[in-house]
Amino acid sequence: MDPRIPIALDERLTADAAAWLADAVARVGEDPAAVRGVFPAVGRRCGRGPLIAGWTVADAARARLLAALPLSGAALAEEIAALHRYGDSAEQRAVLRSLALLEDTDASFADRGLPLVRAALRSNDTDLIESALGPYAARHLDAEGYRQAVLKSVFCGIPLARIAGLTERADRELARMLADFAHERVAAGRDVPADVWPVVRAHPGTLEASGLPAETGSPSPDRREAAVRALAAFSATATATAPAPAPAPAGAA
């Protein structure tokens, strides 16, 4: 968790909210089952407004409760999964945003939270998808899963800057997928999200291989114009802003 988040939370809580949260944390520390009662009440007792870095006050307060659970490994994962399964979308978002914190606190938690990430990525809730694609997903999703998550984010209109790990994990195959997506958009006469271009540009040849540049000669005015706009946006993308190519796997040619 961004170290600014707990500080900002303490600054935002009223005296009553801070006392309630401190009591709830103590109760959860003594009896992990207590989290099931206090977790849903956080928004009402602590507030739901924005905090920082995409977190809300309720997200941060719920993360503090989860970090207080005296559980580890499979037992922690089971409790977290139950909170996610029975929670509303705000509670699910808080669980997803807290996964990296839980692993940082308990190394044995490891990849046990991945089923929750995958469930969020199967949904059409952009808030949950974005919350799932934090540092935890960047650590644990395999290469194909990460690429598909990025592509789904583009389809859903989630800015790529909000996806953790993109600089390190954007490889040539992801660039190819995004270039093909861009070609499909142009072929439909539609504009391409500008934030795909740094990834594509970092891997020379992927744009040309997609066939998009040839659309400038399309008999369809909409396709031609969309291609011209896309190529102009690609050319305007500074190489310095592009994610570095991911290293090739060991033993790769």
Side-chain angles (χ1 to χ4, degrees), residues 54-140:
W55 286 64
T56 66
V57 171
D59 290 338
R62 287 187 170 114
R64 188 168 291 180
L65 289 173
L66 297 182
L69 283 167
L71 301 171
S72 62
L76 176 59
E78 183 177 352
E79 189 64 53
I80 295 302
L83 291 172
H84 182 273
R85 182 166 58 252
Y86 297 115
D88 63 18
S89 60
E91 292 162 49
Q92 291 175 348
R93 182 185 65 231
V95 169
L96 292 166
R97 288 197 177 280
S98 300
L99 292 175
L101 170 65
L102 294 174
E103 185 183 23
D104 290 343
T105 304
D106 169 34
S108 68
F109 183 72
D111 63 354
R112 298 176 192 272
L114 265 182
L116 306 184
V117 172
R118 294 190 177 111
L121 295 177
R122 288 193 297 270
S123 78
N124 291 315
D125 186 323
T126 57
D127 198 19
L128 292 182
I129 293 169
E130 182 180 333
S131 298
L133 291 177
Y136 184 84
R139 295 174 194 169
H140 291 291

Side-chain angles (χ1 to χ4, degrees), residues 145-198:
Y146 188 82
R147 294 184 199 116
Q148 290 296 336
V150 172
L151 192 61
K152 180 157 188 175
S153 296
V154 174
F155 272 108
C156 292
I158 298 171
L160 295 188
R162 297 179 186 172
I163 299 176
L166 188 63
T167 298
E168 297 77 20
R169 299 205 57 179
D171 58 10
R172 190 170 190 84
E173 178 61 13
L174 176 59
R176 182 198 66 76
M177 293 166 68
L178 291 176
D180 287 347
F181 161 80
H183 186 192
E184 291 172 6
R185 296 272 292 200
V186 165
R190 301 175 65 190
D191 287 328
V192 179
D195 55 0
V196 309
W197 296 128

